[in-house]
Amino acid sequence: MQKMPTPLREQLAEFSASQQVPFFVYDLDGLSKHIASLASDEIKLWFAVKANPLSRVIQTLDKQGMNFDVASTGELEQVLAQGIGSDRILNTGPAKSRQQLSHFLQRGVNTFVVESVNQLALLNELSQSHNKRPQVLLRVQLRFEQGDDNPLGGNSLTPFGLGAQEWSEICLADYPEVDVVGLHIFQWGNMLDADKLISLWQAMIAPLTALAQALDFELKVLDLGGGLGIPYHESEQQLLWPYLAGALSEIKRQAKVNELWLELGRFAVGEYGYYVSEVIDRKTNYEQELLVLQGGINHLLRPAITDQPFPVSLLRDSAESAQSFHIHGPLCTSLDKLGELPLPKDVSVGDQLVFAQCGAYGFTEAMPFFLCHELPAEVVFSQGRFEVVRQAQPASSYLC
């Protein structure tokens, strides 16, 4: 698990003492080095903007040559607003309306992942009216002997793509205004077992190449989506990129494709973000220790969805031994729990806690409007200094 560098922690403690909490902070210096370490001539990398659409995060990735996977008009406009060309944008997502597809074509986007026959027909129609011929990847949903629960569905029926049998029943000649160049598959998220992930990728080669043959098109691009995880507990293993990159190069060779794509979200940015919140109350109830924080799942929803907390620490030095605390937020629901986690025994009201691994699926995945609390600030750490990118906003900023 990525540890917060000691100099950053010391500076954060000093900064947060004068900063209104809660807030998110992103280590752009660390993020930039991490993305640079992923560079590969064998793999084309896309950033899944859903993981963190903050402008400064996008700008940092842009400087390292990352491309961008967007799934909505809002994400598209956010990426374009950073000066990124539409030729580096890929449109994904299960729901693509006529209005959205038309907007993407007007804005110059030329690469689409298509998730259904209806989407393919609609994109074909709109491409003709816009005098475009975009390149298309068909999203495929396969079934494997893999029974783990997973946020992307795994083997479950999901809105993502179609099965190989369903796709094989179409005739690509019926869609002459689009150029089908590849296949896309992405069914598992936050995978930490490298060998299992590689075995899944390898198992995809035969059915996907067979589908391309059945549809009679040259499989130029294979997009394996993302799914690369980061640990949220010290007992969890860390994926090693060089090992995965070597396996991906072999998969590219076996599939005989010109390009192999990955869409990284959590693996790209997750370990370079933190969330700081203040302890509002401490109490003992039924012989259990509880902490109530100023912010909870209104800022960090993931623990309520996955039952897996973000790791937490006290943002000051303490010589006390650790004990278990039930950590809750301010919302009037028992769902507002950030986990049962160890902290020093002397944690008290007014202390600040820092949650790690919050660079992905933090604020924009949360439920910030419930109970009309303030929206948290977002801060970046760049070139050794902190900068507030967005100030905390009161409920009056979004209530009518």
Side-chain angles (χ1 to χ4, degrees):
M1 185 185 302
Q2 178 75 23
K3 299 285 188 180
M4 180 185 288
T6 299
L8 173 58
R9 184 180 183 84
E10 292 174 349
Q11 287 179 259
L12 179 60
E14 181 179 351
F15 171 79
S16 64
S18 59
Q19 172 69 26
Q20 181 179 351
V21 294
F23 64 89
F24 287 89
V25 61
Y26 308 105
D27 177 10
L28 300 187
D29 295 338
L31 175 60
S32 183
K33 292 177 182 177
H34 170 61
I35 299 301
S37 74
L38 303 181
S40 168
D41 293 333
E42 295 289 319
I43 308 160
K44 185 172 184 176
L45 297 179
W46 304 80
F47 174 58
V49 175
K50 66 178 185 246
N52 191 328
L54 187 70
S55 57
R56 293 291 294 276
V57 168
I58 292 172
Q59 292 165 18
T60 299
L61 300 177
D62 174 37
K63 290 177 182 177
Q64 294 299 329
M66 188 75 84
N67 304 287
F68 296 88
D69 155 21
V70 305
S72 70
T73 300
E75 288 185 349
L76 170 64
E77 293 303 317
Q78 175 71 337
V79 172
L80 292 175
Q82 311 316 313
I84 295 162
S86 57
D87 59 323
R88 293 170 55 202
I89 294 174
L90 166 68
N91 183 207
T92 62
K96 299 183 181 74
S97 66
R98 174 181 292 272
Q99 181 180 13
Q100 177 176 310
L101 284 174
S102 182
H103 182 80
F104 270 68
L105 289 167
Q106 289 173 356
R107 297 292 268 157
V109 176
N110 195 56
T111 308
F112 295 82
V113 171
V114 165
E115 311 244 1
S116 71
V117 178
N118 284 336
Q119 274 188 20
L120 184 61
L122 181 56
L123 184 58
N124 184 76
E125 174 194 335
L126 291 170
S127 297
Q128 184 175 27
S129 63
H130 285 80
N131 195 27
K132 306 275 188 178
R133 193 168 189 266
Q135 62 177 2
V136 165
L137 281 69
L138 307 179
R139 183 162 184 171
V140 184
Q141 186 178 149
L142 298 176
R143 295 284 173 91
F144 298 95
E145 293 181 6
Q146 219 272 14
D148 296 345
D149 290 336
N150 200 278
L152 282 168
N155 285 330
S156 302
L157 183 66
T158 72
F160 305 120
L162 292 173
Q165 178 60 41
E166 286 73 16
W167 277 126
S168 68
E169 294 172 0
I170 69 171
C171 176
L172 292 184
D174 294 336
Y175 309 96
E177 306 302 325
V178 300
D179 183 16
V180 177
V181 297
L183 298 172
H184 175 288
I185 184 166
F186 183 13
Q187 293 177 221
W188 284 272
N190 200 36
M191 296 281 286
L192 290 172
D193 186 329
D195 291 327
K196 180 183 288 187
L197 186 56
I198 291 168
S199 69
L200 285 169
W201 285 336
Q202 291 172 332
M204 296 171 185
I205 297 173
L208 294 179
T209 54
L211 175 58
Q213 291 172 0
L215 290 172
D216 193 25
F217 78 94
E218 181 184 357
L219 184 60
K220 299 177 182 178
V221 179
L222 179 57
D223 185 341
L224 297 176
L228 283 68
I230 61 172
Y232 289 91
H233 191 273
E234 60 184 11
S235 65
E236 295 177 325
Q237 57 192 329
Q238 186 112 16
L239 289 176
L240 299 178
W241 175 249
Y243 181 60
L244 291 175
L248 287 164
S249 294
E250 178 61 19
I251 288 169
K252 180 181 179 182
R253 186 191 65 79
Q254 292 175 6
K256 299 178 181 179
V257 292
N258 297 337
E259 296 186 23
L260 187 70
W261 296 358
L262 280 186
E263 301 157 14
L264 303 180
R266 188 192 323 266
F267 191 75
V269 299
E271 296 193 297
Y272 298 91
Y274 306 90
Y275 171 71
V276 179
S277 191
E278 184 175 315
V279 178
I280 301 299
D281 198 6
R282 175 179 175 171
K283 56 187 175 181
T284 304
N285 196 21
Y286 290 100
E287 300 181 347
Q288 301 289 311
E289 293 293 327
L290 285 83
L291 299 176
V292 181
L293 306 188
Q294 189 173 0
I297 63 171
N298 54 326
H299 299 163
L300 290 177
L301 185 60
R302 187 178 187 277
I305 297 174
T306 65
D307 198 30
Q308 185 178 40
F310 290 90
V312 69
S313 59
L314 184 61
L315 195 56
R316 64 168 172 83
D317 293 331
S318 173
E320 294 289 329
S321 60
Q323 70 177 63
S324 181
F325 288 89
H326 296 264
I327 304 176
H328 293 260
L331 305 184
C332 298
T333 169
S334 60
L335 294 174
D336 191 7
K337 184 176 182 180
L338 297 181
E340 183 179 354
L341 296 161
L343 284 166
K345 290 181 179 179
D346 64 343
V347 62
S348 61
V349 172
D351 275 333
Q352 294 181 351
L353 305 184
V354 55
F355 293 83
Q357 310 294 77
C358 296
Y361 306 114
F363 172 62
T364 55
E365 188 189 46
M367 45 187 294
F369 305 120
F370 188 40
L371 264 72
C372 302
H373 286 284
E374 285 192 338
L375 303 184
E378 288 191 289
V379 178
V380 297
F381 182 75
S382 179
Q383 298 182 345
R385 56 187 293 271
F386 291 97
E387 178 185 346
V388 179
V389 177
R390 190 193 68 229
Q391 296 284 352
Q393 298 294 321
S396 58
S397 68
Y398 58 84
L399 291 175
C400 298

